Amino acid sequence: MLRRLSWVCSLLFLTSTSIINYPTPTFAARQLIDVDLYEFKNYRNILSDRDLKLKELEIQKQRELELEQERLRQEELERQRLAEIEANRVVTYNPYNLLEPSNITREEAYIMLEGTALQTLSNAYVYMEELYGVNAIYLMSLSAEESGWGRSQLAITHNNIGGIKSSNGWMYFSDWGECLDYKARLLKNQYLSENGDYFNGYSIWNVNIKYCEQNTWADNINSIAYGLLNKIN
């Protein structure tokens, strides 16, 4: 037992002596150690930067995902809104109020005028309603009555589809679109506005009194308008 303890003590003494007397690193060794430490720190910084960039990319992707989800949500809300409008939309021609919107679409206007020369203006009639507030079906029927559906001599030679006169005679237009714009603006400002020079009320019969001397003018236009409505009903 005493021998074993003596051997252990001797071993501990030798070990401690060898540690104490271990030679210090040379300058070159210290340089290598410093380089290794620098490279390790640099590598650790690279890992840290990589982790940071990955985190930033993850945040960016999450933000893009949220934006896309919001965009899809807004699109769905817009689809629902348009569907609700379409479900409640009623195509109207009210001869008692020519400023009541027709609510027709451009596709419906195209169908209404199918087979006539005026079909080329189908979009323009809807736009005139949006721009001036005059019922598009009324404007279509008026053009049909005044120009023989775009086949009259005046419509061909003067691009005048509204039977519009000036002090010098029949007015000339560069195209049918210009004539339609002139006619819609004239009706809104002069015949269907309370401060207009020819205002007599909002019905087609009120307009008839100041607009045309023919007693059947309003009835002819009404007949055409109801015929147009039948094409989409």
Side-chain angles (χ1 to χ4, degrees), residues 55-66:
K55 188 174 182 180
E56 290 176 350
L57 286 174
E58 184 178 350
I59 293 174
Q60 182 179 354
K61 287 181 180 180
Q62 181 63 28
R63 186 181 298 114
E64 291 174 352
L65 178 61
E66 291 173 355

Side-chain angles (χ1 to χ4, degrees), residues 124-141:
Y125 286 110
V126 178
Y127 178 64
M128 290 300 108
E129 177 175 293
E130 296 170 350
L131 187 61
Y132 298 113
V134 182
N135 185 281
I137 298 175
Y138 165 65
L139 292 175
M140 288 190 281
S141 304

Side-chain angles (χ1 to χ4, degrees), residues 91-155:
V91 175
T92 302
Y93 170 68
N94 183 3
Y96 294 95
N97 182 7
L98 297 177
L99 293 181
E100 183 173 340
S102 69
N103 298 316
I104 61 171
T105 64
R106 283 160 172 76
E107 292 77 12
E108 289 170 335
Y110 188 84
I111 294 172
M112 286 178 164
L113 296 172
E114 190 172 3
T116 75
L118 296 176
Q119 191 178 36
T120 58
L121 290 176
S122 59
N123 288 344
Y125 286 110
V126 178
Y127 178 64
M128 290 300 108
E129 177 175 293
E130 296 170 350
L131 187 61
Y132 298 113
V134 182
N135 185 281
I137 298 175
Y138 165 65
L139 292 175
M140 288 190 281
S141 304
L142 178 60
S143 297
E145 171 71 10
E146 299 288 357
S147 71
W149 296 95
R151 296 190 301 267
S152 70
Q153 190 65 24
L154 191 62

Side-chain angles (χ1 to χ4, degrees), residues 186-203 206-211:
L186 176 69
L187 286 165
K188 174 60 185 299
N189 295 336
Q190 298 298 326
Y191 290 88
L192 295 170
S193 293
E194 292 185 3
N195 58 347
D197 294 338
Y198 307 109
F199 178 75
N200 193 49
Y202 296 102
S203 77
N206 294 138
V207 174
N208 194 163
I209 294 172
K210 295 291 185 72
Y211 182 88

